[in-house]
Amino acid sequence: MENAVAKQSIPLLTPYKMGRFNLSHRVVLAPLTRQRSYGNVPQPHAVLYYSQRTSPGGFLVTEATGVSDTAQGYQDTPGIWTKEHVEAWKPIVEAVHAKGGVFFCQIWHVGRVSNRGFQPNGQAPISCSDKPLMPQIRSNGIDEAMFTPPRRLSTEEIPSIVNDFRLAARNAMEAGFDGVEIHGANGYLIDQFMKDTVNDRTDEYGGSLQKRCKFALDIVEAVAKEIGPDRVGIRLSPFADYMESADTNPQALALHMAESLNIYGILYCHVIEARMKTMGEITECPHLLVPMRKAFQGTFISAGGYTRKDGNEAVAEGRTDLVAYGRWFLANPDLPKRFEVDAELNKYDRPTFYISDPVVGYTDYPFLESTA
């Protein structure tokens, strides 16, 4: 009983009803690219990785998962466009369900954040525009990522990309997932269409704010029709400038998307805090998501540089329903338990985030003794 009382006094550890899903706490595993799906096929070691981070009534989102053979831009990221991918995900999903977790697959297309080496027949990556990306230093701080200038999609091609997301959602359900999160953030394809510094189209998918958001909303509509809106979330980063994808009026973009999503009745909107302008870099700009949170009628998930303290504050003040943790959950498989007892956290080891080792920096982070 004492334990239950203690949990009630910690906002992050209070139960929450997200549509049909009864969550026992509000600490979400954020989608985290780990680059250990050799040949784009999810591997058996992911069974342990995800099950380690599962608690009864906990909510987890997979790493970003490609919707087609043109969707890749990184080595060994998983896919969900073939039968082999679906079969490979099944034991991973089963392991999470066996421990009582709720598991969504994040479906993704990188757009121009790619090069010929990742594309079928060495073709150019696709985007809303043919604007090239500058080479960038990878997250390990050493390697330089080189991008091939993209090919602008014709108006006629866009419905087939929308359809790739629909089929990926169908495949995710076949693999046993509870739903999907559409990746509309971080400068990838959907974000490229939404942001006015990238999208220079003059057809129905570019120009005004409404037209730039059409691609995203076409995908939301198609996926919601395929698997039901109560199994669909979307991740957005209107305030961010990842991969040279900024918007000159992010407040208007944020509000327009929140209001438009209400039309489709989807389950949740997962938004990266404005303070995370670029990967891992926190700048102070408090409470910019509040208007978006107020406008959106479903569950609201916030992410981006959260600690235990400000996560609790965000929930207590009603600024969010759930908080997604990335690096801290990566390094602390029992993060909800550590938050409950206010235990010290394992430090994360950045150099092993994206290596292909199936154990090191992946499943070898220690648990608190009592929960191992």
Side-chain angles (χ1 to χ4, degrees):
M1 187 63 211
E2 219 171 274
N3 200 18
V5 172
K7 280 189 177 179
Q8 290 303 320
S9 65
I10 303 170
L12 281 169
L13 298 179
T14 54
Y16 177 77
K17 188 164 173 51
M18 181 174 74
R20 66 170 75 215
F21 306 107
N22 294 308
L23 306 183
S24 64
H25 60 79
R26 298 166 188 249
V27 181
V28 179
L29 175 68
L32 294 165
T33 290
R34 303 308 314 272
Q35 292 184 242
R36 288 160 167 89
S37 299
Y38 314 135
N40 306 129
V41 180
Q43 297 294 307
H45 45 252
V47 172
L48 179 60
Y49 171 76
Y50 283 108
S51 67
Q52 283 180 335
R53 285 155 186 76
T54 305
S55 51
F59 181 43
L60 299 81
V61 185
T62 70
E63 59 210 279
T65 300
V67 299
S68 71
D69 61 358
T70 66
Q72 310 304 117
Y74 300 85
Q75 192 70 37
D76 295 333
T77 51
I80 191 137
W81 73 87
T82 72
K83 185 83 181 138
E84 183 187 10
H85 297 151
V86 172
E87 293 305 315
W89 274 115
K90 282 180 180 177
I92 304 167
V93 178
E94 282 164 12
V96 169
H97 285 160
K99 289 180 76 173
V102 176
F103 204 14
F104 274 39
C105 182
Q106 192 193 60
I107 54 176
W108 177 49
H109 195 300
V110 299
R112 68 178 183 166
V113 186
S114 187
N115 63 49
R116 292 183 189 281
F118 293 111
Q119 295 298 317
N121 309 316
Q123 67 193 39
I126 55 176
S127 183
C128 59
S129 167
D130 53 14
K131 289 182 189 172
L133 265 179
M134 296 297 290
Q136 299 195 359
I137 297 295
R138 286 214 182 274
S139 307
N140 63 14
I142 305 158
D143 300 330
E144 193 174 43
M146 304 299 285
F147 306 106
T148 304
R151 179 178 69 79
R152 183 192 304 269
L153 285 163
S154 71
T155 310
E156 296 71 35
E157 287 176 288
I158 291 175
S160 74
I161 310 294
V162 173
N163 196 50
D164 287 338
F165 277 87
R166 181 184 69 81
L167 293 174
R170 178 196 284 182
N171 286 344
M173 300 310 290
E174 194 189 326
F177 283 105
D178 298 296
V180 301
E181 176 174 291
I182 297 162
H183 195 343
N186 294 358
Y188 298 117
L189 184 61
I190 295 173
D191 204 26
Q192 290 157 33
F193 269 86
M194 284 191 280
K195 300 287 181 68
D196 64 1
T197 65
V198 185
N199 188 334
D200 55 1
R201 302 179 73 88
T202 54
D203 63 0
E204 68 210 77
Y205 291 96
S208 68
L209 174 60
Q210 287 72 15
K211 287 181 174 179
R212 294 198 313 275
C213 292
K214 176 174 164 52
F215 178 62
L217 296 170
D218 282 359
I219 289 170
V220 168
E221 182 177 31
V223 169
K225 275 185 178 160
E226 182 66 37
I227 66 171
D230 57 338
R231 294 186 180 277
V232 179
I234 189 169
R235 194 174 214 217
L236 300 170
S237 57
F239 295 94
D241 183 14
Y242 297 112
M243 296 296 172
E244 298 171 39
S245 293
D247 197 85
T248 57
N249 190 348
Q251 282 91 345
L253 173 59
L255 215 49
H256 175 69
M257 280 303 292
E259 288 165 352
S260 301
L261 291 170
N262 290 333
I263 297 163
Y264 305 99
I266 64 169
L267 182 64
Y268 72 79
C269 185
H270 178 181
V271 188
I272 297 169
E273 281 282 356
R275 61 190 176 190
M276 301 297 283
K277 280 277 190 297
T278 58
M279 288 285 182
E281 183 191 333
I282 299 180
T283 51
E284 269 321 302
C285 38
H287 309 349
L288 273 182
L289 298 192
V290 170
M292 198 177 184
R293 162 17 172 216
K294 285 182 173 161
F296 182 66
Q297 288 160 8
T299 293
F300 199 81
I301 306 177
S302 296
Y306 274 96
T307 60
R308 179 182 186 270
K309 181 175 180 290
D310 64 359
N312 277 321
E313 287 167 0
V315 172
E317 293 166 16
R319 286 186 276 116
T320 196
D321 297 309
L322 309 174
V323 179
Y325 289 86
R327 290 160 292 180
W328 291 118
F329 220 147
L330 179 159
N332 296 273
D334 51 358
L335 189 65
K337 180 73 182 170
R338 287 177 190 255
F339 280 174
E340 183 188 331
V341 300
D342 202 8
E344 191 178 342
L345 301 182
N346 299 325
K347 303 270 188 292
Y348 49 82
D349 179 43
R350 189 178 293 278
T352 56
F353 282 2
Y354 306 110
I355 63 171
S356 61
D357 194 291
V359 176
V360 176
Y362 191 57
T363 55
D364 62 349
Y365 282 101
F367 288 76
L368 286 171
E369 282 70 10
S370 59
T371 62

